[in-house]
Amino acid sequence: MKKASAYKLSLIIMVVLLVMWATIMSFVFVITRNSTAREVESRYEGIMLHANEKIRGVLSDVYVAAINNTSVIENDLDNPDKLQAHLEQMVKLNKYMSSCRLIFEPDFYPQRGHYFEIYAWRDSDGVIKGKQMNEDHPDFLTHPWYQTAYERDEGDWTPPYFDQAASQQLTTTYMTHIHDKNGNKVAMLGADVSLEWLRLRHKRIDAQNHERFEKEFKEKSYSFVLDNDGTYLIHPNEDLILKTTFQEVASQTADTADDEVANHMRNHESGSCKITKDGVSSVLFYSFVKYAEWTVVIVVPEAIINHQGNVLGAIILAVMLFGLIVIFFLSRALIRNIDQLRKTTAQKAGIEQELKIASHIQQSMLPKKYPPYPERPDVDIYGEIVTAKEVGGDLYDYLMHDNKLFFCIGDVSGKGVPAALMMAETISLFRCEAMLDTDPSNIISRMNKTLCDTNDSYMFVTLFLGVLDLKTGQLNYSNAGHEPPMLVGTLARFIYVDNNIPLGLRPEWEYTNQTILMDRNEILFMYTDGYTEAETANHEQFGRDRISNRANRLADLHLDARQYAHQHFETVQNFVGDTPQNDDISLMAIRYLSQPAYGSLYHRCLTLGNDVEEVVELTAFVNSICQDLKMNETATTYTTLAVEEAVVNVMKYAYPDREPSHIILEAEANDLMLTFILHDKGMPFDATKAAEVDVEQQAEQRVEGGLGIHLMRHYMDHISYERKNDENILTMQKIIEK
């Protein structure tokens, strides 16, 4: 009887398992296929975006060359014999410029004919040639695109056309105005770019995709480029080029999705959609090229995108089926141990009670008082941890002595009691070592050696540790494999952190020290990976982009540290909704409320990455300082221009390998003088010893960078330079003019 009952019970368990298995099988298959499909889609999106950037780069180089040569040509309008040499030099120096032309208004040089045009091009052997077109050239003055370009106040790119005059290839031209000394339009300078390189590039990309990813498939992916009106510029079927639009092709199919995406393209949008053509279901990726107003497109059959997911899903299903069979036999043994399971359940209840006590003890180790230092008007700090289980491995701590704030935030690998124990040990080590040294790299190195000596379980800790000098705003920090914090001022940006390994892995590792300056009211925002990896029910992670966007929206609200952290907690909770938390989330915010430096009535600072896109924040920073000091508009303009030139020169030339680094700009002022001090750890360069630039000299004869140094010298009252501790220090002073 007992055997029959056990058999019936095993059958019931088997039925339940079959239902569970079918549900899990379907779910895992869909998730696996979608995940791998997204990876494949990302590959093709990356190929498309790289083509986008390449087009922008090529057109930008030609555009800059044309703009830089307008003044040279305008200076030699009285000597037309020199103009041909200028055009040939332009083509010679720009490998993507296939040719260029200079078209004058009728009768501008009567002695040269009613129409006068000169032309330079690169022939098939790479030789630069030139000629004067005179009356034999095509009548460009009557072309609509010429009239449109002529009537514009600024230069612009022409619609692509077939160049019959020289390259015999598809070409686009940047047209810009040439003015005489009285400011009158007298000619148009056209810089031509042959699109043959783009055609060959797309052909090569398609061939590489076929060879690397699509060997076994009947249908292949292909790419093409559209003009702003949908006309094909590049396409594997060359009969379509300049003759047909994407809208016309889309209108001939029964699928309406391609008609809709055609409208998106005309609206200069980027994205993707599914289309069906000739019975083949594909995904169409499209990316708008802002500079050229073109659209790059890649069409990939869905069979290619879903192939890896289908194969991986089938393997997983096979493994799960095997596991189900194993579970069936194990279930019989499980039935015999029900009594033991009951005992285990009782023991588990006792363990849960102990875990609650452990959680209370763990939380008591963290700073809870807010504000922690009410007597200090120069700093506001708040931290909080929301654990995923009763005990967790996240940590944060801070302490203050000698007018310095020592703080850290970290994350122990793993979960549960072992992680909690290592978290407690890490906090204890931080508090001890922070009392012995002020150098973050020394503190974190000693912590690492101690953890390595006692780390029999091979766990590790990611940690960010900083020391903020509350007198100067200088933040020294060392990072051990932790998420990069954000510095939130007018805008929010991630600070650069060196690639150091977490604590507890290698006792001999030498951790590096980094430095930035915090400005008044700036917030240093730190977090653990539980914040970035918080997931919705659809497994969509919160990610750094959402953190950055939220931080930028909070930048101007002037929140205290606790309000700022709570806003971020609220944001991630709204994002995940009712999805259970699967990792600890820790946030810490430090708002620095700086005081003027000793001996100075005014002090500000700004930390930038060596990225020219951050010049926008630099401009706002300098303008706000000039407004604070009530400087007049002219002085503000000159000061802003000089400081921008100094910072941009550092970004462009101090870091030739474009390695990430910080550039620090300090501003000090008294009643008479405004001083900017620029710090960078790039290549040594003394701007004060650079030769004076002759601003009357022709552009192609000037030394690159000389004009920026000239502007710094011209607009600032004094500049000086020193190289100290492997750091460039450029000081610029401006007399305050109100």
Side-chain angles (χ1 to χ4, degrees):
M1 292 295 293
K2 291 183 179 179
K3 290 184 178 179
S5 298
Y7 180 74
K8 290 180 180 179
L9 185 57
S10 63
L11 286 178
I12 293 173
I13 293 176
M14 185 61 183
V15 171
V16 173
L17 288 176
L18 282 172
V19 175
M20 293 177 58
W21 173 79
T23 303
I24 295 173
M25 176 181 64
S26 302
F27 181 76
V28 170
F29 180 80
V30 171
I31 292 297
T32 302
R33 187 179 66 175
N34 291 347
S35 177
T36 53
R38 184 57 197 155
E39 292 181 5
V40 176
E41 289 176 356
S42 297
R43 176 209 305 156
Y44 286 98
E45 287 175 350
I47 294 170
M48 176 183 63
L49 292 176
H50 187 268
N52 185 317
E53 291 300 319
K54 182 64 176 179
I55 293 173
R56 292 180 61 186
V58 169
L59 297 184
S60 177
D61 289 347
V62 175
Y63 156 78
V64 170
I67 294 300
N68 288 342
N69 279 274
T70 54
S71 60
V72 177
I73 293 172
E74 288 173 350
N75 289 337
D76 284 336
L77 286 177
D78 294 336
N79 192 348
D81 292 332
K82 290 185 177 182
L83 300 180
Q84 183 69 51
H86 293 326
L87 298 188
E88 294 177 7
Q89 185 72 3
M90 284 177 61
V91 177
K92 179 179 180 181
L93 296 178
N94 295 272
K95 66 177 182 179
Y96 287 107
M97 188 183 298
S98 57
S99 58
C100 62
R101 66 189 78 235
L102 194 56
I103 309 169
F104 284 91
E105 286 293 283
D107 296 320
F108 184 74
Y109 293 116
Q111 68 277 18
R112 303 292 177 108
H114 179 63
Y115 293 115
F116 179 61
E117 176 189 351
I118 54 176
Y119 188 73
W121 74 96
R122 181 184 288 105
D123 66 11
S124 58
D125 296 325
V127 178
I128 308 302
K129 296 182 179 181
K131 67 179 179 179
Q132 177 176 319
M133 307 290 284
N134 292 333
E135 302 291 343
D136 297 329
H137 71 92
D139 190 7
F140 283 100
L141 302 181
T142 63
H143 282 266
W145 58 261
Y146 179 89
Q147 293 295 330
T148 300
Y150 183 81
E151 292 171 1
R152 289 180 182 268
D153 293 331
E154 297 180 351
D156 200 0
W157 290 94
T158 68
Y161 60 93
F162 190 77
D163 183 10
Q164 297 180 346
S167 65
Q168 299 295 314
Q169 295 171 353
L170 190 63
T171 303
T172 184
T173 302
Y174 181 78
M175 302 293 295
T176 187
H177 299 288
I178 301 296
H179 300 84
D180 62 13
K181 295 179 179 179
N182 297 323
N184 298 319
K185 300 176 184 177
V186 299
M188 295 292 289
L189 173 62
D192 303 333
V193 179
S194 170
L195 300 188
E196 178 65 11
W197 67 273
L198 183 58
R199 184 187 72 83
L200 295 176
R201 190 176 189 277
H202 274 259
K203 185 175 181 181
R204 184 176 67 255
I205 290 174
D206 290 345
Q208 290 174 348
N209 287 341
H210 297 170
E211 179 65 25
R212 295 173 60 188
F213 312 121
E214 305 162 8
K215 286 183 178 180
E216 307 301 325
F217 295 94
K218 178 181 178 181
E219 303 294 338
K220 309 294 184 181
S221 68
Y222 62 95
S223 60
F224 55 89
V225 180
L226 303 175
D227 200 354
N228 61 355
D229 62 353
T231 302
Y232 288 101
L233 303 181
I234 304 296
H235 195 281
N237 182 0
E238 297 187 358
D239 292 337
L240 301 177
I241 296 175
L242 291 185
K243 299 176 182 178
T244 309
T245 66
F246 181 83
Q247 297 91 313
E248 293 172 344
V249 174
S251 65
Q252 297 172 4
T253 64
D255 191 356
T256 59
D258 51 4
D259 299 295
E260 183 177 351
V261 79
N263 293 328
H264 292 315
M265 291 180 183
R266 282 200 299 270
N267 293 331
H268 298 167
E269 298 177 17
S270 299
S272 63
C273 76
K274 294 183 179 180
I275 63 171
T276 301
K277 183 179 180 182
D278 298 331
V280 178
S281 179
S282 303
V283 178
L284 184 145
F285 303 94
Y286 56 99
S287 175
F288 177 65
V289 184
K290 294 182 179 179
Y291 192 71
E293 296 190 356
W294 298 346
T295 299
V296 178
V297 184
I298 294 182
V299 180
V300 186
E302 279 196 299
I304 295 173
I305 293 177
N306 295 327
H307 175 68
Q308 293 183 4
N310 292 336
V311 172
L312 184 58
I315 294 174
I316 292 176
L317 294 181
V319 172
M320 290 182 65
L321 180 59
F322 175 77
L324 181 63
I325 296 173
V326 173
I327 290 174
F328 172 74
F329 290 101
L330 292 177
S331 64
R332 294 189 177 186
L334 181 62
I335 295 171
R336 299 188 186 100
N337 295 304
I338 292 178
D339 290 338
Q340 182 64 34
L341 180 60
R342 292 172 181 170
K343 295 178 182 179
T344 303
T345 302
Q347 294 174 354
K348 181 181 179 182
I351 293 173
E352 288 178 350
Q353 181 61 30
E354 294 176 355
L355 286 176
K356 290 181 180 179
I357 298 173
S359 175
H360 177 73
I361 296 173
Q362 184 183 33
Q363 290 295 321
S364 67
M365 298 183 64
L366 303 172
K368 291 296 182 183
K369 180 182 176 183
Y370 182 80
Y373 307 108
E375 74 282 1
R376 298 298 300 244
D378 50 357
V379 68
D380 180 24
I381 182 170
Y382 178 80
E384 185 175 349
I385 295 178
V386 177
T387 59
K389 298 182 178 180
E390 287 81 0
V391 291
D394 277 12
L395 64 101
Y396 73 87
D397 200 8
Y398 49 82
L399 56 90
M400 185 183 299
H401 63 83
D402 298 332
N403 279 318
K404 291 182 172 62
L405 177 66
F406 297 74
F407 60 91
C408 68
I409 186 170
D411 185 3
V412 180
S413 63
K415 301 287 188 298
V417 174
L421 293 174
M422 195 164 191
M423 167 265 193
E425 182 180 7
T426 304
I427 289 180
S428 299
L429 288 173
F430 165 73
R431 293 174 180 174
C432 293
E433 298 296 343
M435 300 300 296
L436 301 176
D437 203 329
T438 60
D439 186 289
S441 61
N442 292 340
I443 296 173
I444 211 167
S445 294
R446 288 198 293 267
M447 291 175 64
N448 175 56
K449 291 178 182 177
T450 303
L451 288 174
C452 288
D453 291 340
T454 60
N455 189 15
D456 295 334
S457 59
Y458 300 102
M459 301 176 72
F460 60 85
V461 185
T462 68
L463 192 75
F464 180 87
L465 190 149
V467 179
L468 175 61
D469 190 326
L470 298 176
K471 288 185 177 180
T472 64
Q474 178 171 314
L475 172 62
N476 295 326
Y477 63 91
S478 185
N479 189 63
H482 197 72
E483 296 280 345
M486 297 196 73
L487 191 62
V488 184
T490 305
L491 297 174
R493 60 196 180 280
F494 294 99
I495 67 173
Y496 296 118
V497 293
D498 290 338
N499 293 323
N500 294 312
I501 66 173
L503 307 182
L505 298 177
R506 293 175 57 184
E508 78 281 1
W509 187 271
E510 295 183 3
Y511 290 87
T512 56
N513 196 39
Q514 295 175 264
T515 300
I516 62 173
L517 283 178
M518 292 186 66
D519 196 13
R520 63 187 185 190
N521 292 322
E522 280 191 327
I523 290 179
L524 184 69
F525 177 58
M526 294 156 283
Y527 51 91
T528 57
D529 61 6
Y531 187 26
T532 57
E533 296 174 3
E535 290 186 345
T536 65
N538 296 325
H539 299 284
E540 181 181 4
Q541 293 190 347
F542 191 68
R544 291 185 187 174
D545 288 342
R546 288 187 175 89
I547 295 177
S548 179
N549 293 336
R550 184 56 175 159
N552 275 312
R553 287 194 292 270
L554 297 175
D556 296 330
L557 298 184
H558 306 293
L559 304 175
D560 61 34
R562 180 165 61 180
Q563 292 171 333
Y564 188 85
H566 282 173
Q567 285 292 326
H568 278 278
F569 271 121
E570 181 179 338
T571 300
V572 72
Q573 288 167 358
N574 292 336
F575 175 76
V576 300
D578 297 331
T579 305
Q581 182 179 337
N582 58 16
D583 195 5
D584 303 337
I585 298 177
S586 300
L587 304 180
M588 185 162 65
I590 300 175
R591 181 180 285 278
Y592 176 57
L593 308 168
S594 68
Q595 303 295 324
Y598 178 76
S600 173
L601 298 177
Y602 185 89
H603 181 263
R604 297 280 302 278
C605 58
L606 177 67
T607 302
L608 299 170
N610 57 328
D611 186 345
V612 293
E613 291 186 359
E614 298 196 16
V615 173
V616 174
E617 184 169 0
L618 169 67
T619 302
F621 175 74
V622 178
N623 284 336
S624 69
I625 291 173
C626 294
Q627 291 174 4
D628 290 346
L629 300 177
K630 298 181 180 180
M631 295 175 64
N632 63 48
E633 184 176 349
T634 301
T636 298
T637 300
Y638 289 165
T639 302
T640 303
L641 181 59
V643 175
E644 284 180 354
E645 288 293 340
V647 173
V648 170
N649 275 344
V650 170
M651 291 177 174
K652 287 186 175 180
Y653 305 116
Y655 300 94
D657 296 329
R658 295 295 185 266
E659 69 274 14
S661 184
H662 288 118
I663 299 170
I664 298 176
L665 180 65
E666 292 186 84
E668 299 177 352
N670 53 31
D671 292 337
L672 301 176
M673 186 72 70
L674 170 59
T675 302
F676 289 96
I677 306 171
L678 182 62
H679 306 258
D680 72 85
K681 293 185 178 296
M683 296 175 57
F685 177 69
D686 186 354
T688 63
K689 294 183 179 180
E692 288 286 350
V693 65
D694 183 2
V695 296
E696 301 296 332
Q697 194 175 30
Q698 294 180 356
E700 70 271 12
Q701 297 176 342
R702 298 176 191 158
V703 178
E704 185 177 2
L707 185 57
I709 296 174
H710 169 76
L711 293 176
M712 292 159 50
R713 289 170 170 168
H714 183 69
Y715 290 135
M716 302 302 281
D717 295 298
H718 177 72
I719 63 173
S720 62
Y721 167 85
E722 65 175 325
R723 180 77 177 182
K724 186 177 181 181
N725 297 329
D726 295 326
E727 183 178 67
N728 295 311
I729 303 176
L730 179 66
T731 303
M732 300 170 286
Q733 292 183 307
K734 180 71 176 178
I735 296 174
I736 298 176
E737 301 175 9
K738 299 185 177 180

